Amino acid sequence: MQDSKPNEPQKQSTQTDNFAAALRGEVPLAVGDVIQRSWDITLRALPMMLLGVAVLIIMNGVVAGIAESVFPVDPEQPDPRNSMLQSILSVIFVAPFTAVVTLMGLKNARDAKPGLECFAEALRYLPQVLAITFIMSFAVMLLAALFFLIFGVGAVALALVVVTAIYFQFAFLLAIPLVLERGLKVTRAILASFLVMNKKMFTVLGIYVVLFVIIFISALPLFLGLIFTFPMSFNVVGVIYNRLIGVPNDSIEIENQPEEAQL
């Protein structure tokens, strides 16, 4: 399926290498463009992405069940620490399958057809994906423990934990895509993601607010709309990455890119 009005630049993928410019905060990013582009490319890759999403949901259920048995939470007197550990355990062990669907979104965003090879390609970077996910989760958990220690188990600490988790989720948004697409080392991918995303944090927040509204509305009619909007959420990551980072210049090896781009 081809995008509508293919001659319009905003309807097409970014084909230039914007990595160095993105690190300097010089690449524009618009909420409307990202949402529209993500929706336009959803149908053409829907069957394959639904397969990836189905595997992700199944594995998430399995891991969540194991985490619940290892760190039980009493519904009447919930322990925030066990709830947090459940969440972190689930995120880490589901990360490889999330990376598969993320790679599908990355390929779709640059007009490359995602296929079954995405499973093998993403799992090839399993150590890096797990390392990035663990570092992000550990940072959130460490700060959460600090908040609970200072403010006690209450509304203030919980609010700070939520804000911290959201910030790190956005700050790390491009780390795994940079590993999957450019093969960067873990530390370089995390640093690059922080540098790029901190310059676009409010725009990305706006994108995800709109995406949340779209997903919420799509879930109202018997959840049927989620068949389209859940894969679309991974396309959003792909489009954000494609718009900001672009495509590596084929004539230049990644290792030989400008020092700024290599960090």
Side-chain angles (χ1 to χ4, degrees), residues 1-4 11 34-51 53 101 104-105 107-114 211 214-215 224-239:
M1 177 178 177
Q2 297 294 323
D3 297 344
S4 60
K11 300 292 184 181
V34 172
I35 295 297
Q36 184 64 56
R37 170 71 177 162
S38 301
W39 174 250
D40 286 345
I41 64 177
T42 293
L43 287 180
R44 70 184 183 192
L46 189 60
M48 184 54 60
M49 295 193 73
L50 282 177
L51 174 62
V53 168
V101 193
M104 291 180 180
K107 288 180 175 290
N108 198 22
R110 58 180 173 84
D111 295 331
K113 185 177 180 181
L211 180 63
I214 292 173
I215 292 176
L224 294 178
L226 293 178
I227 294 175
F228 303 96
T229 54
F230 202 6
M232 177 187 171
S233 66
F234 288 94
N235 287 330
V236 165
V237 177
V239 173

Side-chain angles (χ1 to χ4, degrees), residues 127-180:
Q128 294 93 323
V129 169
L130 290 178
I132 290 172
T133 307
F134 174 78
I135 291 170
M136 181 183 71
S137 301
F138 181 76
V140 172
M141 185 172 63
L142 187 63
L143 289 172
L146 181 61
F147 294 146
F148 286 129
L149 182 64
I150 295 174
F151 300 102
V153 180
V156 174
L158 289 175
L160 289 173
V161 170
V162 170
V163 171
T164 300
I166 292 174
Y167 169 76
F168 273 89
Q169 190 68 42
F170 287 159
F172 275 73
L173 188 66
L174 301 183
I176 289 177
L178 282 167
V179 167
L180 296 175

Side-chain angles (χ1 to χ4, degrees), residues 18-25 27-29 34 99 102-103 105-106 109 128-129 132-133 136 166-201 204 207-208 233-246 261 263:
N18 296 333
F19 194 10
L23 290 169
R24 298 191 297 268
V27 182
L29 187 70
V34 172
T102 299
L103 181 57
L106 294 176
Q128 294 93 323
V129 169
I132 290 172
T133 307
M136 181 183 71
I166 292 174
Y167 169 76
F168 273 89
Q169 190 68 42
F170 287 159
F172 275 73
L173 188 66
L174 301 183
I176 289 177
L178 282 167
V179 167
L180 296 175
E181 284 272 288
R182 299 211 174 205
L184 293 189
K185 294 180 180 179
V186 170
T187 52
R188 289 182 174 182
I190 292 174
L191 182 55
S193 183
F194 262 86
L195 290 174
V196 174
M197 295 306 296
N198 276 321
K199 295 178 174 65
K200 302 294 179 182
M201 190 63 69
V204 173
I207 290 169
Y208 274 88
S233 66
F234 288 94
N235 287 330
V236 165
V237 177
V239 173
I240 290 174
Y241 176 89
N242 179 253
R243 289 296 191 240
L244 290 176
I245 306 300
L263 300 180

Side-chain angles (χ1 to χ4, degrees), residues 5-133:
K5 300 180 181 178
N7 292 327
E8 296 183 22
Q10 65 269 28
K11 300 292 184 181
Q12 300 175 342
S13 66
T14 299
Q15 296 294 336
T16 55
D17 192 339
N18 296 333
F19 194 10
L23 290 169
R24 298 191 297 268
E26 298 173 354
V27 182
L29 187 70
V31 174
D33 170 55
V34 172
I35 295 297
Q36 184 64 56
R37 170 71 177 162
S38 301
W39 174 250
D40 286 345
I41 64 177
T42 293
L43 287 180
R44 70 184 183 192
L46 189 60
M48 184 54 60
M49 295 193 73
L50 282 177
L51 174 62
V53 168
V55 173
L56 173 61
I57 292 174
I58 292 171
M59 294 309 302
N60 186 63
V62 172
V63 173
I66 296 173
E68 187 175 351
S69 64
V70 175
F71 301 107
V73 176
D74 186 349
E76 297 182 358
Q77 293 182 332
D79 185 346
R81 289 168 297 185
N82 276 11
S83 298
M84 190 189 324
L85 288 170
Q86 277 188 23
S87 176
I88 291 173
L89 190 66
S90 297
V91 168
I92 290 175
F93 284 96
V94 173
F97 305 96
T98 304
V100 171
V101 193
T102 299
L103 181 57
M104 291 180 180
L106 294 176
K107 288 180 175 290
N108 198 22
R110 58 180 173 84
D111 295 331
K113 185 177 180 181
L116 291 174
E117 73 282 353
C118 290
F119 286 87
E121 287 182 31
L123 293 178
R124 189 165 65 241
Y125 292 100
L126 179 61
Q128 294 93 323
V129 169
L130 290 178
I132 290 172
T133 307

